[in-house]
Amino acid sequence: MRPCGAHRFHLVRLSVTENTSPEAVVDTAFDPHAIQQKWQAAWAEADPFRAGGDDDPRPRKYILAMFPYPSGDLHMGHAENYLYSDIVARFWRHRGHNVLNPIGWDSFGLPAENAAILRGADPKVWTYDNIAQQKAAFQAYGVSFDWSRELHTSDPEYYHWNQWLFQKLHERGLAYRKESAVNWCPVDQTVLANEQVVDGHCERCGAAVVKKKLTQWYFKITDYADRLLDDLNQLEGSWPSKVLQMQRNWIGRSTGADIDFVIEGREEKISVFSTRPDTLHGATFMVVAPDSDLAAELAAGASNEVRMRFQAYLEEVGRTSEIDRQSTDRPKTGVFLERYAVNPVNGERLPIWAADYVLADYGHGAVMAVPAHDQRDLDFARAFDLPVRVVVDTTASATGVIRVIDPDAEIVELDSIDPAKTGVALTGEGRLINSGKLDGLSKRNAIARVIAQLEDAGTGRATTTFRLRDWLISRQRFWGTPIPMIHTDDGRIVPVPEDQLPVTLPSAEGLDLKPKGTSPLGAATEWVTTVDPETGEPARRDPDTMDTFVDSSWYFLRFLNPNSDVEAFSPEQARRWAPVDSYVGGVEHAILHLLYARFITKVLYDMGLVEFTEPFSRLINQGMVILDGAKMSKSKGNLVLFNEELQAEGADALRVGLAFAGPVEDDKDWKDVSTTGAHKFLARALRIAHDVTSAPDVVWADGDTALRRVTHKLWADAPGLVEQTKFNVVVARLMELVNATRKTIDSGAGAADPAVREAAEAVALVLDLIAPHTAEEMWQVLGREPFVGLEQWRTADPSLLVEDDVTAVVQIDGKVRSSLSVSAKISPEELEALARADEKVQRSLGDREIVRVIVRAPKIVSFATK
Ligand code: ANZ
């Protein structure tokens, strides 16, 4: 029963401005759909989440979630992603910030084209239909976007500036064409960037990727390799360490030396890259990548039989993925090329082999093989009976102290660790042996000495090598940004003049979009025919389109003035808003998108257009939503559909269910997401607002202290919890406050207690992060003006934060077995003693022996038993 008078404030007609007034409160019964509709209409009308203009005095926050590809319906991954960034955006508004939280669509790309081929539809129509559908879903989900900045990368107004960017890179020598062996997807019939090849397969369709020699456009990201690596240090602590590590590995900086070897019967020397020049005396053969030009040249000079064996081997290698080639547990294969190299330090003849574990496009595509100290070389030497020579004694550490490898032996016999016998390469630290004047030196000193010697003799030099390759950006597909270059009849390639940009896509009508290895745009005769801007002679447009990762490499800047037709973005607005303060997205973008966006940001910095070198100050990766431990997918038939869930319990229950299911970065099993539980909680929350009988101007200080303490503890902790992205804890704390409030209403001072109003308002203000519709409704029921989403959070009263007693839980083998009421200041020893003495604990322990105790005073004592 509701105490009488409870409706006093509900009947007030509330309005923000003329015509934006939401209808009076829906009903005391919780009808999430009615509440949702009402507040969504009110938001659409009043546009409360639009970012403030230049004269807005509040500090700015730029909150962004990785923009979606318009694949149709939203899925649970989207539901999670945009929920988290919405929580952050709402939080900063409550903290007095001018928040920019924009949304757009990454709307170029293969799926549109493939769907179009399958159904004979226009990729454009398919794409924009999907965008409309997703937009409606976002609105139904209650995300507080600034819709005025919506953009689509497939609009000419957007891709105009991709073309501008391309030309700027071209002017700076950072966009270029070259012929090389590229990754080719035989199904999608297009080239792929290295980053789009996952375990040897096409990232999109899963087909095994093959190598094909083609002339393509590249962005010279390798010029930025050092900066891309070094600047990761700036992000330490604000990006997940896993992502930083993945980027470091991908860029893969190795320091070592280039060493030049004379090849018998060849005028020019060849260089090899080695991280272990100290082992030069241990080189016993040389290996070249079979698919390198060098191997072909060396094989050409060999006997007929070897030439044939080499050809057959080359074909076999062409069918092997790069991952397999590098795998250590694969039998080693290769062909001796009947040629010899000469070791520059001792004049020894080293037989030259072609073997697939050496890659053509790393270092110089050739290695000096040191089987004693490199596992792959050792496996190869053992397979083909080549000599193994130990040149670093790893049984003695660099300091000269004997390292005991076999604990039963005093000194290890070198023989017992001979790699030729054990099959285990000696890769550790040690002192040099069998290396002439280098003998006795530590690895580090020997490396420095060898490099100095090589440099003196002019046969080598210190070098740094990167794993990172240049970014291949041209694609032989239709639905992308046309590359703004012109091929003249006399073989020049010139930029489309800036005043003729954008080069817009022709209509897809009449074009055969089926993948066939050349761009469908080449067949659009009218489109492709143009004139040489310098001579006016007939010429052809470049028929390729850009990788869509170009589109997403700078979109966060376009949101700052998305409608400009005079510039890609405004440097002045970038100064105000960028870099992005908080960026939420999936870890699947740990390399591709984030690396490209970091690269383009650095180029824009060098152009003087932005004043920062890293685009995203903080990165939040969400886990996946899975079902029964497995990734959801259409083909497995285990999809939980966003729209169905939205229909069931409404947006807020879905939002609360997801937020409560676990830590942001963890995968969440849909089994653990309870939208019905969330629904009940929201109904309880709204109910307390309905029950409040005191007036909005009541003096809180007169309220019940126990309840006020819970409220103020929330005010003290909520900001920190949100900043640490502990959204599940925020939900738990809201549940705690709702329960405490209910208790006061039902059994304590009653609904008229000012502390009840204070608590209910606190619930509304914090709940807005996660369940904004219910929060708005509560706020209105409480007699306050909309919108709660724009209200400032309150601060905790320190005098209400001193805790007298707290509840400590006692766990045994991970299960809570008892709880104790203890002083907040209890010592760990005291707490452990109390826990051990507790009757319930003793009962459930029985005669089991405690083997480990963890005490976190004053909250937890955890016993582990045998
Ligand atoms: C001799 C040597 C002796 C090496 C030794 C290692 C250990 P990271 O660290 O990954 O940069 N290498 C060079 N170019 C290669 C290629 N194209 N394909 C396959 N392997 C190649 O690896 C550098 C090391 O990998 C180089 O140092 C070279 O082998 C090999 F005890 O040179 B090393």
Side-chain angles (χ1 to χ4, degrees):
M1 277 288 294
R2 192 178 40 242
C4 63
H7 266 143
R8 229 170 80 209
F9 303 101
H10 307 161
L11 305 174
V12 184
R13 191 175 158 81
L14 299 156
S15 63
V16 205
T17 57
E18 201 92 14
N19 296 330
T20 61
S21 151
E23 290 308 305
V25 295
V26 174
D27 190 356
T28 52
F30 180 49
D31 177 352
H33 295 287
I35 289 177
Q36 208 168 295
Q37 262 175 14
K38 165 181 155 182
W39 290 105
Q40 281 166 13
W43 295 330
E45 181 92 38
D47 200 10
F49 308 121
R50 188 189 274 245
D54 293 352
D55 51 0
D56 191 318
R58 295 172 298 168
R60 297 180 189 88
K61 281 277 178 197
Y62 187 176
I63 311 301
L64 191 64
M66 293 180 185
F67 68 162
Y69 178 79
S71 48
D73 276 350
L74 289 181
H75 53 67
M76 280 304 158
H78 291 125
E80 202 194 3
N81 194 43
Y82 299 99
L83 167 64
Y84 293 154
S85 65
D86 195 41
I87 292 175
V88 179
R90 288 175 179 274
F91 169 71
W92 286 110
R93 285 191 207 101
H94 289 298
R95 306 293 285 166
H97 284 66
N98 178 7
V99 171
L100 172 59
N101 183 29
I103 180 73
W105 274 271
D106 189 13
S107 48
F108 265 143
L110 270 186
E113 205 163 333
N114 290 344
I117 294 164
L118 213 67
R119 295 170 213 162
D122 187 324
K124 189 168 167 181
V125 174
W126 184 89
T127 302
Y128 287 83
D129 280 354
N130 281 349
I131 291 176
Q133 203 179 334
Q134 282 196 348
K135 184 172 177 174
F138 276 133
Q139 283 166 336
Y141 196 40
V143 189
S144 66
F145 288 132
D146 176 347
W147 285 101
S148 70
R149 295 169 188 251
E150 181 180 351
L151 60 79
H152 314 124
T153 57
S154 52
D155 288 348
E157 295 74 24
Y158 185 90
Y159 67 72
H160 177 165
W161 303 105
N162 284 338
Q163 295 174 337
W164 166 87
L165 182 69
F166 179 98
Q167 294 197 343
K168 291 296 151 198
L169 268 79
H170 189 250
E171 278 166 25
R172 303 175 78 83
L174 294 171
Y176 69 98
R177 253 160 84 90
K178 75 167 176 196
E179 186 191 44
S180 73
V182 299
N183 302 307
W184 177 260
C185 172
V187 172
D188 288 334
Q189 292 270 314
T190 185
V191 299
L192 300 170
N194 277 357
E195 289 81 355
Q196 287 163 326
V197 182
V198 180
D199 293 341
H201 292 84
C202 171
E203 179 219 20
R204 287 222 173 270
C205 74
V209 169
V210 295
K211 288 276 180 189
K212 195 167 170 176
K213 232 173 190 164
L214 285 174
T215 302
Q216 297 287 317
W217 285 103
Y218 291 83
F219 282 169
K220 214 168 181 186
I221 191 171
T222 52
D223 268 14
Y224 285 71
D226 270 316
R227 285 164 68 185
L228 285 166
L229 193 73
D230 293 340
D231 289 356
L232 289 172
N233 296 338
Q234 288 178 35
L235 304 171
E236 205 70 65
S238 28
W239 276 34
S241 49
K242 182 170 147 195
V243 174
L244 294 176
Q245 197 48 46
M246 285 166 84
Q247 292 240 343
R248 287 192 178 107
N249 293 345
W250 188 261
I251 298 165
R253 180 161 60 196
S254 288
T255 52
D258 275 351
I259 307 172
D260 306 332
F261 285 77
V262 168
I263 307 291
E264 289 179 2
R266 187 182 195 260
E267 211 147 284
E268 264 175 78
K269 291 179 180 179
I270 65 164
S271 299
V272 302
F273 171 70
S274 176
T275 46
R276 294 290 306 273
D278 56 314
T279 63
L280 189 46
H281 286 84
T284 54
F285 56 101
M286 181 175 274
V287 184
V288 295
D291 46 346
S292 63
D293 292 342
L294 179 65
E297 179 206 312
L298 295 177
S303 65
N304 244 347
E305 190 207 327
V306 167
R307 277 213 308 273
M308 277 163 61
R309 288 216 341 250
F310 174 76
Q311 267 318 319
Y313 185 56
L314 190 59
E315 276 163 37
E316 188 188 316
V317 172
R319 291 189 295 269
T320 317
S321 79
E322 221 157 87
I323 297 283
D324 283 343
R325 285 176 63 167
Q326 285 169 289
S327 144
T328 41
D329 51 8
R330 228 171 108 249
K332 292 281 175 284
T333 55
V335 176
F336 174 45
L337 297 177
E338 295 178 330
R339 302 286 293 266
Y340 292 86
V342 181
N343 190 330
V345 285
N346 55 16
E348 272 180 18
R349 292 180 90 211
L350 308 177
I352 305 179
W353 288 68
D356 67 359
Y357 74 94
V358 172
L359 304 177
D361 64 354
Y362 187 66
H364 300 282
V367 306
M368 64 172 202
V370 185
H373 303 289
D374 180 277
Q375 193 59 49
R376 288 168 306 173
D377 294 343
L378 180 63
D379 296 342
F380 193 84
R382 281 162 53 97
F384 293 97
D385 223 2
L386 294 160
V388 178
R389 184 189 307 146
V390 176
V391 289
V392 183
D393 177 2
T394 53
T395 62
S397 81
T399 52
V401 179
I402 300 295
R403 177 142 45 87
V404 179
I405 291 179
D406 176 353
D408 298 329
E410 282 255 293
I411 296 173
V412 179
E413 290 287 312
L414 202 53
D415 197 39
S416 71
I417 56 162
D418 179 1
K421 298 197 179 114
T422 63
V424 181
L426 304 172
T427 55
E429 296 288 324
R431 289 196 175 272
L432 268 76
I433 55 174
N434 299 329
S435 297
K437 286 191 186 138
L438 301 174
D439 282 0
L441 289 181
S442 68
K443 170 175 152 187
R444 222 179 86 208
N445 289 341
I447 290 178
R449 186 76 64 85
V450 171
I451 291 178
Q453 279 173 5
L454 291 169
E455 281 179 350
D456 278 352
T459 50
R461 61 218 68 85
T463 1
T464 304
T465 296
F466 292 90
R467 287 219 163 259
L468 184 67
R469 293 281 151 267
D470 277 341
W471 174 14
L472 199 176
I473 62 118
S474 40
R475 296 290 180 275
Q476 291 68 53
R477 301 302 298 253
F478 170 79
W479 191 233
T481 306
I483 289 180
M485 300 298 281
I486 294 171
H487 299 253
T488 67
D489 271 356
D490 55 6
R492 283 171 299 119
I493 303 176
V494 295
V496 174
E498 211 169 316
D499 60 5
Q500 289 173 29
L501 296 181
V503 177
T504 53
L505 279 176
S507 154
E509 216 183 292
L511 283 184
D512 178 12
L513 301 184
K514 275 195 214 75
K516 50 194 164 311
T518 54
S519 173
L521 285 174
T525 319
E526 207 178 305
W527 180 88
V528 91
T529 310
T530 183
V531 290
D532 177 342
E534 282 157 33
T535 63
E537 295 293 317
R540 285 172 64 81
R541 295 194 184 283
D542 195 298
D544 286 357
T545 52
M546 291 182 210
D547 180 4
T548 57
F549 280 105
V550 176
D551 315 0
S552 52
S553 67
W554 66 281
Y555 79 110
F556 59 97
L557 292 166
R558 183 71 183 168
F559 277 130
L560 305 179
N561 54 335
N563 301 317
S564 171
D565 56 7
V566 292
E567 57 190 355
F569 65 92
S570 148
E572 195 194 324
Q573 292 298 333
R575 209 169 305 127
R576 288 178 204 274
W577 287 103
V580 172
D581 292 289
S582 166
Y583 197 36
V584 183
V587 73
E588 66 275 18
H589 294 296
I591 296 172
L592 296 117
H593 160 57
L594 291 173
L595 190 68
Y596 297 146
R598 296 183 58 228
F599 160 56
I600 293 299
T601 300
K602 289 174 202 302
V603 175
L604 295 172
Y605 172 85
D606 290 349
M607 288 167 65
L609 293 176
V610 297
E611 289 175 354
F612 49 88
T613 53
E614 285 296 331
F616 311 118
S617 301
R618 178 158 186 215
L619 177 69
I620 300 168
N621 280 150
Q622 88 269 14
M624 272 191 308
V625 185
I626 55 178
L627 188 63
D628 289 325
K631 198 175 164 175
M632 289 187 196
S633 77
K634 254 188 208 157
S635 56
K636 282 198 203 115
N638 66 347
L639 274 187
V640 176
L641 297 176
F642 176 82
N643 272 330
E644 275 177 22
E645 290 306 321
L646 207 62
Q647 289 309 317
E649 307 281 5
D652 283 356
L654 180 55
R655 294 173 59 124
V656 170
L658 282 171
F660 193 48
V664 164
E665 62 284 358
D666 285 11
D667 286 348
K668 279 144 218 96
D669 203 311
W670 183 254
K671 274 194 329 216
D672 304 327
V673 177
S674 170
T675 51
T676 44
H679 176 94
K680 281 188 198 144
F681 156 65
L682 292 170
R684 277 169 75 77
L686 183 59
R687 170 69 61 185
I688 60 168
H690 278 293
D691 284 355
V692 169
T693 55
S694 58
D697 58 359
V698 72
V699 180
W700 298 330
D702 298 339
D704 170 55
T705 311
L707 179 57
R708 295 201 73 208
R709 283 201 168 146
V710 186
T711 304
H712 283 258
K713 185 134 176 33
L714 180 67
W715 285 131
D717 296 348
L721 290 172
V722 178
E723 287 199 60
Q724 295 159 43
T725 66
K726 293 186 174 165
F727 308 142
N728 55 334
V729 183
V730 174
V731 177
R733 298 291 296 277
L734 281 167
M735 290 175 169
E736 185 191 357
L737 182 55
V738 167
N739 290 342
T741 313
R742 168 57 50 207
K743 220 161 125 188
T744 307
I745 295 172
D746 290 348
S747 57
D753 189 313
V756 168
R757 166 170 284 277
E758 186 186 27
E761 292 193 358
V763 170
L765 286 161
V766 178
L767 185 65
D768 172 64
L769 303 183
I770 300 160
H773 310 91
T774 313
E776 290 285 10
E777 184 70 10
M778 285 181 74
W779 197 242
Q780 189 184 46
V781 166
L782 286 161
R784 299 284 187 183
E785 292 281 317
F787 292 99
V788 74
L790 302 181
E791 290 291 326
Q792 295 310 289
W793 272 10
R794 296 173 182 161
T795 44
D797 175 347
S799 70
L800 289 166
L801 296 177
V802 260
E803 275 179 79
D804 297 337
D805 278 353
V806 295
T807 305
V809 295
V810 187
Q811 296 184 334
I812 299 173
D813 295 330
K815 290 214 175 71
V816 176
R817 294 297 184 194
S818 184
S819 59
L820 312 165
S821 180
V822 297
S823 150
K825 297 187 185 68
I826 195 167
S827 72
E829 295 75 22
E830 263 180 292
L831 183 60
E832 183 183 336
L834 277 181
R836 281 182 187 269
D838 183 72
E839 207 183 317
K840 279 196 206 143
V841 171
Q842 291 196 342
R843 213 177 317 125
S844 51
L845 267 179
D847 48 14
R848 280 183 294 165
E849 188 190 332
I850 295 174
V851 289
R852 209 157 64 102
V853 185
I854 299 170
V855 185
R856 284 214 188 86
K859 294 265 153 109
I860 294 183
V861 181
S862 174
F863 295 116
T865 67
K866 241 187 196 161

